[in-house]
Amino acid sequence: VYKLGLNHTVANNPECQNAPQNKTGLCTLLHKCPQVHPDLKDVRVYEKYFCALEGYAGVCCPKEENTTN
């Protein structure tokens, strides 16, 4: 089970290869990557973009759009 990390700051955002549109991205807390929210229609879609981030629920956020870190 992963936490959402709504009040958490992550110091390290590792690179990931499973961002939307087959882009390279950074593993980012789910709430810090609003550009993937429209794609998250069900848990299977979320699982495609999922990455573990220090015990928190992360998503692979596209690098060029990742501005809320």
Side-chain angles (χ1 to χ4, degrees):
V1 174
Y2 293 92
K3 302 174 206 167
L4 290 178
L6 296 175
N7 295 314
H8 186 74
T9 302
V10 176
N12 182 27
N13 295 90
E15 190 170 276
C16 50
Q17 303 299 318
N18 56 323
Q21 293 96 35
N22 296 317
K23 295 181 180 178
T24 299
L26 296 175
C27 187
T28 305
L29 291 171
L30 178 58
H31 72 279
K32 296 245 183 199
C33 186
Q35 56 268 38
V36 302
H37 294 175
D39 295 333
L40 300 178
K41 300 190 186 324
D42 63 50
V43 71
R44 288 188 188 130
V45 175
Y46 171 69
E47 288 171 344
K48 286 178 18 181
Y49 304 139
F50 171 80
C51 56
L53 193 59
E54 299 177 15
Y56 293 92
V59 290
C60 191
C61 197
K63 275 185 178 182
E64 62 271 15
E65 299 177 41
N66 189 9
T67 59
T68 58
N69 263 356

